[in-house]
Amino acid sequence: MAITIKSEREIELMTQAGRILEIVHEEMEKALKPGMTTLDIDAIGEEVIRSYGCEPSFLNYNGYPASICVSVNEEVVHGIPSRNRIIQEGDIVSLDAGLIYKGYHSDAARTHAVGEISEEAKKLIEVTRQSFFEGIKYAKEGNYLFEISGAIGRYAAGFGYGVVRELCGHGIGTHLHEDPEIPNFPMMRRGPKLKAGMTLAIEPMITLGTEKVRWLDDDWTVVTRDGKLSAHYENTVLITKGEPILLTLGGKIK
Ligand code: MF3
Ligand code: CO
């Protein structure tokens, strides 16, 4: 499938979708406390999504059974919310949420600290976030997609971290996953040329140890093979002729 270029009207809808998703993340972050279950977080996320007249895009996507992905510690992504999983002080929790507003998708993820966490966990979260910002320095019409990929991967690898290769970012619009696929590591090719109006979900997943992951028996939860911590950071990004617009982060570079 070709990479879609969004019209002014579509960009307006995706802007609104992104604003709402930001609020969803703010509410989940405020609620996140030791003693809660990962299913409690899912319920809060879903409720906020629906309160804005939106649909949770992950729910039933390829059979995914919840609205939010809640991935704790060594869980990289796609942690299925459970009433048996209690969030504890010292955990790091990656929250990934997506919604549909008037037919348009938005997708974003954040990793949060629960109470006091180790220095190495703090640094992992911060470097993962910063790797996204290193990547989007290249997110501009006329550049090539894999310049973003290379910048993300090189930055994180520079700290000795694992850069997950088995999962990628993606185009986004009327579908949650559109072309192109967006790796988080350097590629031998330059990839597609970026054009204004492309909307991309860029989402580095970075680990404290190995880059290798495996899938749990639930067929969703992705964990690090060595059991070490993993962090995730994602925004839906609009490519323009100038600076990119972060649709799920205040509409600008922060
Ligand atoms: N942000 C993730 C992604 O882009 C979330 C998808 S979870 C799923 O792949 F359940 F919807 F698959
Ligand atoms: Co995504």
Side-chain angles (χ1 to χ4, degrees):
M1 206 181 85
I3 304 173
T4 57
I5 302 295
K6 275 71 177 183
S7 67
E8 281 300 320
R9 175 188 151 272
E10 292 179 295
I11 290 167
E12 189 45 54
L13 293 172
M14 290 189 70
T15 300
Q16 191 56 29
R19 285 194 186 117
I20 297 168
L21 188 55
E22 236 187 302
I23 296 169
V24 173
H25 270 290
E26 282 166 13
E27 293 301 322
M28 291 193 298
E29 182 178 7
K30 269 194 247 166
L32 186 65
K33 297 263 158 40
M36 297 179 79
T37 70
T38 56
L39 191 64
D40 294 331
I41 292 291
D42 179 69
I44 291 162
E46 176 167 4
E47 188 185 317
V48 181
I49 290 170
R50 294 198 190 278
S51 75
Y52 285 90
C54 300
E55 292 287 322
S57 53
F58 298 173
L59 185 62
N60 300 323
Y61 181 88
N62 291 337
Y64 186 72
S67 297
I68 310 295
C69 299
V70 186
S71 308
V72 183
N73 297 336
E74 77 286 358
E75 296 172 356
V76 179
V77 287
H78 303 170
I80 300 178
S82 162
R83 63 186 171 82
N84 298 319
R85 182 72 192 254
I86 297 166
I87 294 165
Q88 323 235 351
E89 167 97 22
D91 283 345
I92 68 170
V93 179
S94 300
L95 301 178
D96 190 352
L99 59 76
I100 312 170
Y101 172 76
K102 298 189 178 170
Y104 284 83
H105 286 255
S106 199
D107 185 5
R110 313 273 182 256
T111 300
H112 300 295
V114 179
E116 267 308 303
I117 61 169
S118 68
E119 286 307 315
E120 63 172 8
K122 277 185 205 164
K123 188 172 161 200
L124 173 69
I125 293 172
E126 181 47 34
V127 169
T128 302
R129 181 181 175 281
Q130 187 58 33
S131 72
F132 168 90
F133 287 96
E134 295 298 320
I136 63 163
K137 288 179 180 168
Y138 298 89
K140 186 180 182 168
E141 176 163 294
N143 287 348
Y144 291 90
L145 182 68
F146 296 162
E147 294 181 78
I148 300 175
S149 304
I152 292 171
R154 272 190 295 273
Y155 182 77
F159 291 84
Y161 292 155
V163 178
V164 175
R165 301 172 82 93
E166 289 161 82
L167 296 146
C168 294
H170 49 94
I172 181 167
T174 53
H175 300 270
L176 172 59
H177 293 142
E178 299 186 356
D179 280 343
E181 197 169 72
I182 309 175
N184 295 303
F185 49 88
M187 301 287 285
M188 299 299 286
R189 294 166 287 121
R190 62 189 187 178
K193 197 171 189 170
L194 298 174
K195 288 203 184 69
M198 290 179 175
T199 44
L200 308 174
I202 301 172
E203 50 180 319
M205 289 150 270
I206 308 295
T207 75
L208 267 187
T210 182
E211 67 191 33
K212 295 267 191 288
V213 299
R214 67 185 176 87
W215 272 256
L216 297 186
D217 287 341
D218 62 19
D219 282 341
W220 278 105
T221 313
V222 180
V223 298
T224 55
R225 285 209 196 170
D226 58 8
K228 292 192 179 167
L229 297 179
S230 184
H232 186 199
Y233 188 79
E234 174 181 33
N235 284 301
T236 298
V237 178
L238 171 66
I239 302 297
T240 76
K241 291 185 162 62
E243 295 292 289
I245 296 176
L246 306 185
L247 297 175
T248 48
L249 194 61
K252 50 178 171 302
I253 297 211
K254 274 185 189 167

